[in-house]
Each structure stands twice: as structure tokens, then as C-alpha cells.
Amino acid sequence: MKHSLLATALLSMALLSSAALPQKPAHAAAVEDPFVWLEEIDGPRALAWARAENDKTLGVLQSDPRYHRFYEEALSILQAEDRIPYVSSERQGLGKLWQDESRVRGIWRRTTDGYGSSEPVWESILSIDELAATEKKNWVLKGGSCLPPEERLCLVELSDGGKDAVFIREYDRHAKAFVPTGFDLPEGKQDVSWVDRDTILIARDWGEGTMTPAGYPFVVKELKRAQPLVQAREVFRGEPNDAMTATFVLRDSEGRIHAIGAIRAISAFEREYVLLGPKGPIKVNLPKMADIVGIASNRLLVTLDEDWALSESTHFVAGSILSYDLAEWKQDPLRATPSVVFQPEARHALSGLVVTKNALILTILDNGQSKAFIYSYDQGDWRATPIPFPVNMNVSLSAVRPETDEVLFTVSSYLVPTSRWHFDAATKRLKMVTTTSPQFNASNHVVEQFEATSLDGTKIPYSLVRPKNARLGEPIPTLLTGYGGFQEPLLPLYDGAIGRLWLEQGNAYVLANLRGGGEFGPRWHEAAQGATKQRTWDDFIAVAEDLIRRKITSPRRLGVVGGSQGGLLVGTAITQRPDLFNAAIMQVPLLDMLRFAKLAAGAAYIGEYGDPAVTEQRGWLEAYSPYQKLVPGKTYPMPFILTSTKDDRVHPAHGRKAAARLAALGQPYFYFENFEGGHSAAANLKEHARRLALEYTYASRRLVD
């Protein structure tokens, strides 16, 4: 149930800052922003504005006869009892949050027979609904960490309304109660790791001068049981201008500790691992774009996101997995020499990795197609054996039982219901355990793969899900989505809401694999980052143009949708090529790229986009920043902007200010701000269903009617 702040920050674009020294822009002072008052998150004027905007949007969209049908259907899909539960790996079974009609906030539960069983028996651990009612809080369970190997004591992370900032409290899973004298940390963006039952490492706000510009901690301290926070002992301190620092405790599959330290995130995607030894901190000899990911067969595993010349004769390529002899590495982490486990070929990318008792399991994207392998270490070499999953499916690692060789996979595609598979790495036996009931009628649709040619000639793959009886030249209402950032891939997924609320209506859906994402490894990401970020926007526009050129759709019938970095993607699309689209859904978007570093965790994104405080970098941000590109004299496709007051990752002011600017320009738009929900813009299943119903009602009005 571990929920690392560093991992969350990396995966959800909430980590990272720039090592460049700020310089004052040489150009004239920017025009004063008339809507800066909307940056005051809980300001009375800003909240009153948001309520008024919500009333206008709900008044129109909820009065559409489709809304209530969409809401009921979305809620039935989200609350379906036979949906496959997401689980986390535990030595004592599988556990995770489960939400349904009667448990809106959810119940934390676990099962000890869930690996190979199609109908596991679940044990209730903690009801978040009951806790919220008792404590009169809108609790959202964000995750937690249970102490190996027994995993009885857990540090539970509770968010007030869905924010990334959490309260952390110690919970006894056997007693099913919070420990009266247990660890109890006040709200904050923080990272915690167990050392032993009486000791934890904490990175959090320790007072003035201990947080980075992005609002993350850079000081790690050790806290003993029953010790007040003020008495915690400092063990590591990063630099004030770092992105953040996280705790680091390296354990094997049996729960034994092999190293303790900190992970210093210096800047975008750059880290240093520091071990705490009797003679002081030791910086591990790794390139800055590398991650220590676990231990298998007494070998330390490391992934690389950059080329590494260890010596004149020893070179490793980006996207590789390396391994060290664990004993040799522990004896001298500065001089130990690694060997290659996996090295990618062209258009290959590592997509998942877990460690079992005796093996290493990898999922790999081979030209966008998922493949799975078991790697075994024998006589100095790693040997790979394919795991025979069905082709043309997205295969992802779901959970692992670390004290055995059992692994769970989730297998999915656009039109085939999601299934769960059990694999025993010891016996090599693979079987499907369970599958969900079909959530929509997929028989009338077909999936096709195409490539668009971007502005610089690069081929950009995309997937099209369309009605099989569509006639060439009759434009299909189409929603186009993408992400294209932070080395995160977008992969095929069976989505009941998309199927029921959009595809079943005779419409089409397109997913584009843009540069900046992770579909083809680190180089695919680096090709559209910082100074070259415009390539992501070019790729997206190229896919839209290709859909129109193929006469699959038309500008009248084409809409774009994306969230977070994807919301920025949508913002650039409609400001750079408004003629191509008739709808745009921007979910918790980044839009003001000249002030993003000053908003919420915005300084964390500098490594992906650049620093507006540096003259050259401000130039390339200014060239595409959607908020500033909303100008008089242009007509934009009437957008729908959704955000959350409690989003402390991407500030709601991005969406607020864009809506206010559109209003000032006399341009039509919809705006909805959920007052709970955090970066997901929904704190529970009912709020999620409402968001889906609003979005698809809007899309139907714009593209179908």
C-alpha cells in the first residue's frame, strides 16, 4: 500500500525544478494580468466567481435530457460489483481501496487468497466513510506503507478533500484501529518510510526554510516512537532549490533492509541516491537519470533514463536495466560494476517491472505492443523467457507476492473487457483468473492503427476506434486525446464510460502517442521537452489533420480532450489551430505557462517545460502559452474547462483565468470547478460520474447535434 511522494510527483508531473540560475527577462515588463485575483484559491471573490460559473454551466448541461441518462450509466459502470479491483502487493495478501454504491469514500480491504482465485474472500480493514462521519472530515484515502514482513502496522495517508497534502496516522490492521500512541503526522506534502516498528524516516515541512520552491520537502529526519516532531533528528538535507527530497529504505523480498538513505531530486528527472552510513552520507555512483528499483536474485536493479559511460570501455544506453552483485555493491557502492539485464532496441520501452522471490518480471512496449517476460539470473547471465499473453492487448503488472513467485497481470484493450491473469514464475503456469462483464456493446466498432506525419517529418502513431459500418466521407463525431509529457505512455484501455457514453452512440475515439510521452522510451520523451516542447503540440495537430485528410472526421465533428499536461495539450491545440476543432475538454489543465512556476506545485514542472524566470526559456514558453494566446479577433471552439479547488498539484487558477479571459473576449465557454477532489477533480464515484456526464453531454452537444 506504499504511496511514495516522490513516485507520485514523478508520475503525475508534480516533481522537479530547474538547476538554471534565474535571470531577469531582458524584454519589457509583461502586461499586468487583470485576473490574478483568481489565483487566491479560497479567496471569497474567487470562490463566488467559481460558484456563479458552476451555476451557469450546470444550468445548461444538466438541463440537457442526455445528462441524467449519462450520469446514471456512468455511475452504474463505476459502481459495478464485478469490476476488477485494483490491488497492491503485500506479503500477507492483497489490499486496496474499494468504492461502491454504499461505500462512497471507500473501504480499505484485503484478501489472502486473491492471487489465483476468481472470487477472493475480502476482509474489511478500515471504512473511510465511517471515519469521515465520525471525524466530520471529507477523508480521501491516498495510500500508505505497512511495516514488513508482518505488515501489521501501517502508516495511513488521509487527504482532506483529495489534496496531495496528507495527514499520516499509524494503524494496526489486526486490531483494526489507529494506534493510540502511534505515529501521527499533521497535514503536509510528505514522504515517510519505516525503518523498524519504533523508527521512521520523514521528509516534510519542518518549518521556515525547509521546503523547495515547488512546495516539497528537502530535509529528511528520523523520528522515534512517542517522540514529538520537534525532537526528530536530521539525517539528510538537500539544497533549497532542489525539486524535493524523499526517504529511501531498500528492502529485499523478505523485508530485510540493505540500505537506508535519501533520494535527492535535484531537477527535472535528475536524482541522487545518498546512503546513510556510520561515516556519514555516501552518494551512490549512478547517473542522475537513474532509479534503484529493487533486488532480485541477490542483485541490485537499476533503470537508466540516459546513456551512461561508466568507463572508456563500459557504456550503457538509455532505457536499459542494470544489475549489481548486492554484496559487492553494499561493500563499495562507489566502485561496484553493473551488468546488463535488459537493453532496448529501437521503438522499445520498459513499461513495468516487479521482483518475485526468485525472478524478475518485465513488461515491455515493442513498437507500442505489450509483451511480458520472466528474467532469471543463472551463472552470471540473465535469461529472458516470454510469457504467452494474447497479442494486441495492453499487458500491465498488477501485483506481486514478494515471498513467492506469484504475479498478477491486468490485460486490456479498447474493445475487450479487462481481465486479470495469474502467473507463477516458478512453474511458468499462466491462467486467466477473472474478467469483467462487458460494459458496452463493442460489436459495432473496430480498432485501427495509423500514423500521421508531424511538422518535422516524424511519424506519430495513433489508434482509432470507430464504427465498423462508417462510410468514407461521412464525418464521424470524434474525440481525440493525448498526453505527450513526463515520459508517461498512453496505452490501450477498456473504458466503460467512453464505450457506453460515446462509442455506443455511433462515435469515434482516437488516442495519439505523442513525443514527450514514454511510448518509445527516454529518447521519445527528450525529443519534446523544454526548448523542443512545441513538437508535442505539432504531433497532436498532425494527428488531427490526418484524421480530417482521411475523411474519418471533419473540423465540425472533431473534439479534443486531455487532463493535466493533457489539458495544456488541448489548450495549445485550440489556440494554435482553432480551425481544426469544434470542442475542447480541458481537465485540471496547465494554461498560464508564464506564471505556472508560481502556482501550487508549478516549480516542479520546470524540468519539463523550462523556467519563465530565465530569458531564453521564457521565450519558448511565451510562444505557446495558451492563456496568453487567447486574444481578440480569433474564434475558439467553445471549450469546457474543469478544475478543482482542492487541486494542490495544478492550481485551479489556470482554468479560472482562462475562463475569465474568454468571458472578457466575449467568447463562449463552459467552466466547472469541483470544490473537492484534488487533481482528479472528483473525491468519490458520484463526483466522478457527474464529471463524466457533464463532459459527454457537452461533447454530444458540440459534435453530434
Side-chain angles (χ1 to χ4, degrees), residues 29 266 355 440:
I266 304 166
V355 174
F440 64 96

Side-chain angles (χ1 to χ4, degrees), residues 130-139 160:
E130 292 177 8
L131 181 67
T134 300
E135 300 186 350
K136 294 180 171 56
K137 290 277 192 179
N138 186 17
W139 287 131
D160 183 8

Side-chain angles (χ1 to χ4, degrees), residues 200-222:
I200 59 176
L201 294 181
I202 312 171
R204 62 164 287 120
D205 187 348
W206 300 102
E208 186 177 353
T210 63
M211 300 291 278
T212 69
Y216 291 96
F218 67 90
V219 176
V220 177
K221 294 189 180 184
E222 179 189 84

